[in-house]
Amino acid sequence: MNHHASHHDLSTPLISAIERHLSEDCQVILFLNRRGFAPVLLCTKCGVVEECDRCDARLTLHPSIGHLRCHHCGRTRPLSWACGICGSERIAVGAGTQRVTDELRVLFPKARIARLDRDIASRKGSIEAVLAEVEHGDTQILVGTQMLVKGHDFPRVTLVGVLSADQGLFGTNFRSSERLAQILLQVAGRAGRRDRPGEVLIQSYYPEHPLLARLAAQDYDAFGKLALEERKVAAWPPFSHLIVWRAEAGRREPAYNLLERIATAARRIASNITILGPASPSMEKRGGRYRAQLLFQSAHRSPLHDLIRELLPLVRVWPEARRVRWSIDVDPSEL
Ligand SMILES: [Zn+2]
Ligand SMILES: [Zn+2]
Protein backbone atom coordinates (compact mmCIF):
# COMPACT_ATOMS: atom_id res chain seq x y z
CA MET A 1 0.00 0.00 0.00
CA ASN A 2 3.06 2.28 0.29
CA HIS A 3 4.07 1.85 -3.34
CA HIS A 4 0.78 1.81 -5.26
CA ALA A 5 -2.05 4.24 -5.72
CA SER A 6 -5.34 3.14 -4.22
CA HIS A 7 -9.05 4.01 -4.43
CA HIS A 8 -10.73 3.64 -1.05
CA ASP A 9 -8.42 0.83 0.06
CA LEU A 10 -8.37 -0.91 -3.33
CA SER A 11 -4.78 -0.82 -4.62
CA THR A 12 -4.08 -0.67 -8.35
CA PRO A 13 -2.51 -4.20 -8.44
CA LEU A 14 -5.64 -5.58 -6.78
CA ILE A 15 -7.89 -3.71 -9.23
CA SER A 16 -6.01 -5.11 -12.23
CA ALA A 17 -6.09 -8.61 -10.73
CA ILE A 18 -9.88 -8.33 -10.32
CA GLU A 19 -10.14 -7.21 -13.95
CA ARG A 20 -8.07 -10.19 -15.11
CA HIS A 21 -10.02 -12.80 -13.14
CA LEU A 22 -13.39 -11.35 -14.22
CA SER A 23 -12.31 -11.42 -17.85
CA GLU A 24 -11.54 -15.14 -17.44
CA ASP A 25 -15.09 -15.66 -16.16
CA CYS A 26 -13.98 -16.36 -12.61
CA GLN A 27 -15.25 -15.03 -9.30
CA VAL A 28 -13.57 -12.76 -6.78
CA ILE A 29 -13.91 -12.49 -3.00
CA LEU A 30 -12.71 -9.39 -1.17
CA PHE A 31 -12.29 -9.64 2.55
CA LEU A 32 -12.47 -6.60 4.81
CA ASN A 33 -13.05 -6.69 8.52
CA ARG A 34 -14.94 -3.44 8.75
CA ARG A 35 -18.58 -2.96 7.91
CA GLY A 36 -20.39 0.28 7.19
CA PHE A 37 -19.31 3.03 4.81
CA ALA A 38 -16.36 4.56 6.66
CA PRO A 39 -14.98 4.20 10.19
CA VAL A 40 -14.21 7.88 10.77
CA LEU A 41 -16.13 11.14 10.31
CA LEU A 42 -13.52 13.89 10.53
CA CYS A 43 -13.75 17.68 10.56
CA THR A 44 -10.97 18.94 8.31
CA LYS A 45 -10.92 22.31 10.07
CA CYS A 46 -10.86 21.54 13.80
CA GLY A 47 -9.81 17.89 13.52
CA VAL A 48 -12.59 16.58 15.75
CA VAL A 49 -13.72 12.98 15.15
CA GLU A 50 -17.26 11.87 15.99
CA GLU A 51 -17.16 9.44 18.92
CA CYS A 52 -19.68 7.41 20.89
CA ASP A 53 -20.57 9.01 24.21
CA ARG A 54 -21.02 5.59 25.83
CA CYS A 55 -17.85 3.88 24.52
CA ASP A 56 -14.20 4.68 23.86
CA ALA A 57 -14.88 4.21 20.17
CA ARG A 58 -15.51 6.12 16.97
CA LEU A 59 -18.88 6.09 15.30
CA THR A 60 -19.10 4.36 11.93
CA LEU A 61 -20.84 6.07 9.02
CA HIS A 62 -23.91 4.38 7.55
CA PRO A 63 -25.07 7.06 5.08
CA SER A 64 -27.48 4.65 3.34
CA ILE A 65 -29.65 4.71 6.47
CA GLY A 66 -28.68 8.29 7.37
CA HIS A 67 -26.98 7.28 10.59
CA LEU A 68 -23.76 7.16 12.51
CA ARG A 69 -23.60 3.98 14.55
CA CYS A 70 -21.47 2.62 17.36
CA HIS A 71 -20.46 -0.96 16.55
CA HIS A 72 -19.88 -1.70 20.24
CA CYS A 73 -23.08 -0.60 21.96
CA GLY A 74 -25.37 -0.13 18.95
CA ARG A 75 -26.21 3.51 19.68
CA THR A 76 -27.10 5.55 16.60
CA ARG A 77 -27.03 9.26 15.90
CA PRO A 78 -28.38 11.12 12.86
CA LEU A 79 -25.65 11.76 10.30
CA SER A 80 -24.80 15.40 9.72
CA TRP A 81 -21.95 16.49 7.44
CA ALA A 82 -21.57 19.76 9.38
CA CYS A 83 -19.14 19.71 12.33
CA GLY A 84 -20.98 20.06 15.65
CA ILE A 85 -18.12 22.18 17.04
CA CYS A 86 -17.15 24.61 14.27
CA GLY A 87 -19.82 24.07 11.61
CA SER A 88 -17.31 23.21 8.85
CA GLU A 89 -17.93 20.38 6.45
CA ARG A 90 -16.73 16.95 7.59
CA ILE A 91 -15.34 14.09 5.50
CA ALA A 92 -15.51 10.29 5.65
CA VAL A 93 -12.08 8.74 6.23
CA GLY A 94 -11.25 5.10 5.57
CA ALA A 95 -13.40 2.49 3.92
CA GLY A 96 -15.82 -0.14 5.16
CA THR A 97 -17.56 -2.87 3.16
CA GLN A 98 -20.23 -0.45 1.91
CA ARG A 99 -17.76 2.11 0.54
CA VAL A 100 -15.60 -0.58 -1.08
CA THR A 101 -18.72 -2.02 -2.73
CA ASP A 102 -19.73 1.44 -4.00
CA GLU A 103 -16.22 1.98 -5.36
CA LEU A 104 -16.25 -1.41 -7.12
CA ARG A 105 -19.55 -0.50 -8.80
CA VAL A 106 -17.82 2.57 -10.25
CA LEU A 107 -14.71 0.65 -11.31
CA PHE A 108 -16.59 -2.38 -12.68
CA PRO A 109 -19.99 -1.04 -13.77
CA LYS A 110 -20.89 -4.26 -15.62
CA ALA A 111 -19.95 -6.69 -12.85
CA ARG A 112 -22.52 -8.25 -10.54
CA ILE A 113 -21.37 -7.28 -7.04
CA ALA A 114 -22.71 -8.38 -3.66
CA ARG A 115 -21.90 -7.57 -0.07
CA LEU A 116 -22.12 -9.79 2.99
CA ASP A 117 -21.68 -8.39 6.48
CA ARG A 118 -23.67 -8.18 9.68
CA ASP A 119 -25.77 -5.29 8.33
CA ILE A 120 -26.91 -7.48 5.42
CA ALA A 121 -27.19 -10.59 7.58
CA SER A 122 -29.61 -8.90 9.98
CA ARG A 123 -32.29 -9.14 7.28
CA LYS A 124 -33.96 -12.53 7.44
CA GLY A 125 -32.93 -15.06 4.81
CA SER A 126 -30.46 -12.68 3.24
CA ILE A 127 -27.26 -14.63 4.03
CA GLU A 128 -28.61 -17.72 2.26
CA ALA A 129 -29.74 -15.60 -0.71
CA VAL A 130 -26.34 -13.90 -1.09
CA LEU A 131 -24.44 -17.18 -0.77
CA ALA A 132 -26.73 -18.99 -3.21
CA GLU A 133 -26.09 -16.29 -5.82
CA VAL A 134 -22.35 -16.72 -5.37
CA GLU A 135 -22.62 -20.49 -5.61
CA HIS A 136 -24.70 -20.31 -8.82
CA GLY A 137 -22.18 -17.91 -10.30
CA ASP A 138 -24.64 -14.99 -10.46
CA THR A 139 -22.38 -12.88 -8.28
CA GLN A 140 -18.96 -12.05 -9.70
CA ILE A 141 -17.47 -10.04 -6.86
CA LEU A 142 -18.36 -10.66 -3.23
CA VAL A 143 -17.26 -8.16 -0.59
CA GLY A 144 -17.54 -9.33 2.98
CA THR A 145 -16.32 -9.45 6.54
CA GLN A 146 -15.06 -12.34 8.64
CA MET A 147 -18.47 -13.97 8.07
CA LEU A 148 -17.10 -15.10 4.71
CA VAL A 149 -14.19 -16.99 6.16
CA LYS A 150 -15.84 -20.19 7.23
CA GLY A 151 -17.73 -23.04 5.82
CA HIS A 152 -18.79 -22.17 2.29
CA ASP A 153 -17.52 -23.72 -0.89
CA PHE A 154 -17.41 -21.43 -3.89
CA PRO A 155 -16.07 -23.47 -6.79
CA ARG A 156 -15.45 -20.62 -9.23
CA VAL A 157 -13.59 -18.25 -6.92
CA THR A 158 -10.02 -17.87 -8.13
CA LEU A 159 -9.03 -14.56 -6.58
CA VAL A 160 -9.19 -13.62 -2.91
CA GLY A 161 -8.18 -10.13 -1.82
CA VAL A 162 -7.48 -9.29 1.83
CA LEU A 163 -7.86 -5.52 2.03
CA SER A 164 -5.83 -5.05 5.19
CA ALA A 165 -3.64 -7.39 7.19
CA ASP A 166 -2.29 -4.66 9.44
CA GLN A 167 -4.83 -4.78 12.24
CA GLY A 168 -3.74 -8.33 12.95
CA LEU A 169 -0.05 -7.44 12.89
CA PHE A 170 -0.36 -4.68 15.46
CA GLY A 171 -3.34 -5.77 17.50
CA THR A 172 -3.48 -5.04 21.23
CA ASN A 173 -4.04 -8.72 22.02
CA PHE A 174 -1.12 -11.15 22.13
CA ARG A 175 -3.23 -13.50 20.01
CA SER A 176 -3.76 -10.95 17.21
CA SER A 177 -1.11 -12.38 14.88
CA GLU A 178 -2.33 -15.93 15.48
CA ARG A 179 -5.84 -14.82 14.47
CA LEU A 180 -4.45 -13.08 11.40
CA ALA A 181 -2.71 -16.31 10.40
CA GLN A 182 -5.93 -18.29 10.83
CA ILE A 183 -7.95 -15.81 8.77
CA LEU A 184 -5.37 -15.60 5.98
CA LEU A 185 -5.10 -19.38 5.75
CA GLN A 186 -8.87 -19.75 5.72
CA VAL A 187 -9.54 -17.09 3.09
CA ALA A 188 -6.65 -18.38 1.02
CA GLY A 189 -8.36 -21.77 1.12
CA ARG A 190 -11.32 -20.12 -0.65
CA ALA A 191 -9.29 -19.46 -3.80
CA GLY A 192 -8.66 -21.96 -6.56
CA ARG A 193 -10.43 -24.85 -8.14
CA ARG A 194 -9.50 -28.17 -9.66
CA ASP A 195 -8.27 -26.88 -13.03
CA ARG A 196 -7.07 -23.46 -11.97
CA PRO A 197 -4.87 -22.48 -9.03
CA GLY A 198 -6.07 -19.62 -6.89
CA GLU A 199 -4.44 -16.27 -6.35
CA VAL A 200 -4.43 -14.41 -3.02
CA LEU A 201 -3.50 -10.73 -2.71
CA ILE A 202 -2.88 -9.35 0.78
CA GLN A 203 -2.70 -5.58 1.18
CA SER A 204 -0.45 -4.15 3.87
CA TYR A 205 1.53 -1.04 4.73
CA TYR A 206 4.10 -3.36 6.37
CA PRO A 207 4.81 -6.09 3.81
CA GLU A 208 8.28 -6.68 5.31
CA HIS A 209 6.85 -7.54 8.71
CA PRO A 210 8.49 -10.90 9.53
CA LEU A 211 5.24 -12.63 10.51
CA LEU A 212 3.44 -11.46 7.38
CA ALA A 213 6.38 -12.32 5.14
CA ARG A 214 6.33 -15.91 6.43
CA LEU A 215 2.57 -16.18 5.91
CA ALA A 216 2.85 -14.75 2.41
CA ALA A 217 5.48 -17.40 1.63
CA GLN A 218 2.90 -19.95 2.85
CA ASP A 219 5.42 -21.09 5.42
CA TYR A 220 3.10 -21.82 8.33
CA ASP A 221 5.81 -23.68 10.28
CA ALA A 222 8.14 -20.69 10.07
CA PHE A 223 5.30 -18.40 11.13
CA GLY A 224 4.47 -20.67 14.06
CA LYS A 225 8.11 -20.85 15.16
CA LEU A 226 8.49 -17.06 15.13
CA ALA A 227 5.15 -16.46 16.86
CA LEU A 228 6.14 -18.96 19.57
CA GLU A 229 9.49 -17.23 20.08
CA GLU A 230 7.69 -13.92 20.59
CA ARG A 231 5.34 -15.53 23.10
CA LYS A 232 8.27 -17.09 24.95
CA VAL A 233 10.12 -13.78 25.32
CA ALA A 234 6.98 -12.11 26.66
CA ALA A 235 6.03 -15.18 28.77
CA TRP A 236 2.59 -15.38 27.17
CA PRO A 237 0.74 -18.68 26.75
CA PRO A 238 1.66 -21.45 26.04
CA PHE A 239 4.70 -20.48 28.16
CA SER A 240 2.51 -19.33 31.02
CA HIS A 241 -1.05 -19.66 32.25
CA LEU A 242 -3.42 -16.74 32.70
CA ILE A 243 -6.47 -15.87 34.68
CA VAL A 244 -8.18 -12.49 34.27
CA TRP A 245 -10.42 -10.99 36.92
CA ARG A 246 -12.66 -8.44 35.21
CA ALA A 247 -14.80 -5.75 36.81
CA GLU A 248 -17.12 -3.10 35.40
CA ALA A 249 -19.24 -0.35 36.87
CA GLY A 250 -20.99 2.87 35.93
CA ARG A 251 -18.04 4.81 37.32
CA ARG A 252 -14.34 4.07 37.10
CA GLU A 253 -13.44 4.05 40.83
CA PRO A 254 -15.60 1.17 42.17
CA ALA A 255 -14.23 -1.23 39.52
CA TYR A 256 -10.62 -0.23 40.22
CA ASN A 257 -11.05 -0.21 44.00
CA LEU A 258 -12.43 -3.74 44.02
CA LEU A 259 -9.59 -5.09 41.86
CA GLU A 260 -7.04 -3.14 43.91
CA ARG A 261 -8.29 -4.86 47.05
CA ILE A 262 -8.28 -8.28 45.33
CA ALA A 263 -4.68 -7.67 44.20
CA THR A 264 -3.59 -6.83 47.75
CA ALA A 265 -5.27 -9.94 49.14
CA ALA A 266 -3.76 -12.07 46.36
CA ARG A 267 -0.24 -10.84 47.11
CA ARG A 268 -0.66 -11.86 50.73
CA ILE A 269 -1.83 -15.36 49.75
CA ALA A 270 0.51 -16.25 46.88
CA SER A 271 4.07 -15.06 46.37
CA ASN A 272 4.82 -17.15 43.27
CA ILE A 273 2.25 -15.57 40.96
CA THR A 274 2.75 -12.49 38.81
CA ILE A 275 -0.06 -10.00 39.35
CA LEU A 276 -0.51 -7.26 36.76
CA GLY A 277 -2.91 -4.38 37.20
CA PRO A 278 -5.59 -3.38 37.75
CA ALA A 279 -5.45 -1.90 34.27
CA SER A 280 -7.96 -0.88 31.65
CA PRO A 281 -8.65 -3.13 28.66
CA SER A 282 -8.04 -1.62 25.20
CA MET A 283 -11.55 -0.17 25.27
CA GLU A 284 -12.05 1.08 28.83
CA LYS A 285 -15.57 2.43 28.44
CA ARG A 286 -18.17 0.35 26.64
CA GLY A 287 -21.93 0.78 26.66
CA GLY A 288 -21.62 3.45 29.33
CA ARG A 289 -19.70 1.18 31.74
CA TYR A 290 -16.07 1.46 32.84
CA ARG A 291 -14.09 -1.73 32.69
CA ALA A 292 -10.92 -2.82 34.48
CA GLN A 293 -9.01 -6.05 34.76
CA LEU A 294 -6.48 -7.81 36.94
CA LEU A 295 -4.17 -10.35 35.34
CA PHE A 296 -2.73 -13.36 37.18
CA GLN A 297 0.13 -15.09 35.42
CA SER A 298 2.03 -18.23 36.38
CA ALA A 299 4.25 -20.83 34.79
CA HIS A 300 2.03 -23.50 36.33
CA ARG A 301 -1.68 -23.91 36.44
CA SER A 302 -2.31 -25.25 39.94
CA PRO A 303 -1.02 -22.23 41.96
CA LEU A 304 -3.40 -20.02 39.96
CA HIS A 305 -6.38 -22.22 40.68
CA ASP A 306 -5.41 -22.52 44.37
CA LEU A 307 -5.25 -18.74 44.61
CA ILE A 308 -8.68 -18.21 43.05
CA ARG A 309 -10.14 -20.90 45.30
CA GLU A 310 -8.87 -19.00 48.35
CA LEU A 311 -9.86 -15.58 47.06
CA LEU A 312 -13.44 -16.31 46.04
CA PRO A 313 -15.00 -16.85 49.49
CA LEU A 314 -13.22 -13.71 50.73
CA VAL A 315 -14.30 -11.47 47.89
CA ARG A 316 -17.90 -12.69 47.84
CA VAL A 317 -18.64 -11.16 51.25
CA TRP A 318 -17.04 -7.77 50.56
CA PRO A 319 -19.69 -5.05 50.22
CA GLU A 320 -17.80 -3.45 47.29
CA ALA A 321 -18.01 -6.75 45.38
CA ARG A 322 -21.79 -6.43 45.36
CA ARG A 323 -21.72 -2.98 43.78
CA VAL A 324 -19.56 -4.03 40.85
CA ARG A 325 -20.23 -6.56 38.11
CA TRP A 326 -17.27 -8.96 38.05
CA SER A 327 -16.20 -12.22 36.45
CA ILE A 328 -13.23 -14.56 36.35
CA ASP A 329 -11.90 -15.73 33.02
CA VAL A 330 -9.57 -18.76 33.00
CA ASP A 331 -7.36 -19.02 29.89
CA PRO A 332 -8.82 -15.80 28.44
CA SER A 333 -8.87 -15.49 24.67
CA GLU A 334 -9.16 -11.69 24.90
CA LEU A 335 -7.25 -9.35 27.17
ZN1 LIG B 1 -20.99 2.90 21.87
ZN1 LIG C 1 -14.95 21.29 13.19
Side-chain angles (χ1 to χ4, degrees), residues 61-257:
L61 276 76
H62 291 262
S64 55
I65 50 170
H67 275 148
L68 291 162
R69 181 181 289 157
C70 176
H71 284 180
H72 303 281
C73 72
R75 169 159 292 202
T76 59
R77 215 179 279 169
L79 170 61
S80 157
W81 292 101
C83 173
I85 311 274
C86 73
S88 304
E89 197 180 332
R90 300 191 286 187
I91 56 162
V93 181
T97 45
Q98 169 109 55
R99 193 176 208 174
V100 167
T101 308
D102 291 355
E103 184 64 20
L104 287 165
R105 289 195 211 284
V106 175
L107 292 167
F108 303 101
K110 284 186 194 143
R112 296 183 300 275
I113 302 168
R115 176 164 66 94
L116 187 57
D117 54 30
R118 224 194 301 162
D119 296 322
I120 299 279
S122 62
R123 289 169 227 156
K124 201 169 170 258
S126 47
I127 301 184
E128 294 75 17
V130 171
L131 293 177
E133 279 176 10
V134 179
E135 251 165 73
H136 295 146
D138 300 331
T139 297
Q140 293 171 289
I141 307 175
L142 178 61
V143 180
T145 57
Q146 210 148 345
M147 291 180 71
L148 285 183
V149 171
K150 275 181 199 150
H152 312 287
D153 192 32
F154 304 132
R156 285 176 51 227
V157 172
T158 51
L159 173 65
V160 169
V162 177
L163 265 53
S164 175
D166 296 341
Q167 220 183 341
L169 291 178
F170 303 101
T172 50
N173 191 326
F174 70 91
R175 290 191 215 277
S176 299
S177 63
E178 179 185 348
R179 294 239 171 87
L180 172 69
Q182 288 167 351
I183 288 171
L184 291 183
L185 287 173
Q186 281 171 329
V187 295
R190 293 267 153 272
R193 55 184 195 190
R194 260 163 264 123
D195 56 329
R196 197 183 190 291
E199 191 176 351
V200 179
L201 291 188
I202 301 166
Q203 298 190 153
S204 172
Y205 284 92
Y206 308 90
E208 292 87 16
H209 192 291
L211 287 174
L212 189 56
R214 281 161 178 80
L215 284 173
Q218 297 188 35
D219 195 342
Y220 184 77
D221 286 339
F223 166 85
K225 232 178 245 168
L226 187 62
L228 277 171
E229 273 166 32
E230 287 186 355
R231 296 271 187 96
K232 193 171 192 175
V233 169
W236 285 125
F239 301 97
S240 69
H241 299 277
L242 302 177
I243 287 182
V244 176
W245 201 312
R246 303 180 206 278
E248 58 166 76
R251 288 180 304 119
R252 187 179 278 121
E253 293 74 27
Y256 272 83
N257 290 347

Side-chain angles (χ1 to χ4, degrees), residues 52 54-55 70 73:
C52 179
R54 289 162 54 84
C55 306
C70 176
C73 72

